Amino acid sequence: MDEASFMRRAIALSCQGVAEGGGPFGAVVVKDGVIVGEGRNAVVPTRDPTAHAEVVAIRGACAALGTHDLTGAVIYTSCEPCPMCLGAVWWARIGEIVYANDRADAAAIGFDDAAIYEEVCLPIAARRLPLRRFLAEEAIEAFRLWDAKPDKVPY
């Protein structure tokens, strides 16, 4: 398959998502020229706000390859990823994002992520969604355990 075929598959998944009661988003993860994970938006049908196409595709790719590290993979997505999906792509170590629709196209049909992009750039005290630190002195113990663990798998 070629690049156009990968994107067309993501677009087909976005249309399938709409038909199945989800949002108009689809994605495929490609590694070594092969689709290893697919996803379509299933937020409403699954009642899972994290069931975005890119996240679903990444989960599928990781399961198929037996790893959390998708270094060398490319994700083709029908729309520029939202901040959550962008974070998932980064954590998965995917090397490239190829998208069709952009965030302005998404905003025009009611999927506007501008507030999230603006919010994460603000200092914690200035954010609309309150964040407050609590029991940090106790929670740091898990970090100490992780830091001292000789057989940890970094990610």
Side-chain angles (χ1 to χ4, degrees), residues 9-79:
R9 179 61 185 150
I11 294 167
L13 288 164
S14 70
C15 294
Q16 186 179 358
V18 172
E20 294 178 3
F25 306 98
V28 297
V29 175
V30 175
K31 177 107 185 211
D32 300 323
V34 175
I35 294 174
V36 294
E38 294 188 339
R40 61 185 172 275
N41 181 284
V43 169
V44 172
T46 62
R47 296 174 184 86
D48 177 356
T50 68
H52 289 205
E54 296 89 341
V55 171
V56 173
I58 289 167
R59 289 174 181 161
C62 290
L65 298 176
T67 182
H68 64 280
D69 186 342
L70 298 177
T71 297
V74 176
I75 190 165
Y76 291 83
T77 180
S78 64
C79 187

Side-chain angles (χ1 to χ4, degrees), residues 45-149:
T46 62
R47 296 174 184 86
D48 177 356
T50 68
H52 289 205
E54 296 89 341
V55 171
V56 173
I58 289 167
R59 289 174 181 161
C62 290
L65 298 176
T67 182
H68 64 280
D69 186 342
L70 298 177
T71 297
V74 176
I75 190 165
Y76 291 83
T77 180
S78 64
C79 187
E80 180 181 358
C82 74
M84 177 183 69
C85 293
L86 184 59
V89 169
W90 273 92
W91 279 111
R93 309 286 192 265
I94 292 174
E96 183 180 13
I97 299 167
V98 181
Y99 65 93
N101 297 317
D102 66 16
R103 67 174 90 165
D105 298 323
I109 61 164
F111 294 93
D112 192 351
D113 300 324
I116 301 170
Y117 281 104
E118 292 167 9
E119 183 88 354
V120 298
C121 293
L122 295 174
I124 289 175
R127 294 182 187 175
R128 289 185 296 184
L129 180 61
L131 281 88
R132 62 185 175 96
R133 199 165 183 190
F134 185 64
L135 294 180
E137 305 82 18
E138 293 178 30
I140 199 71
E141 181 59 24
F143 282 15
R144 289 183 184 126
L145 291 169
W146 173 261
D147 194 40
K149 187 173 173 61

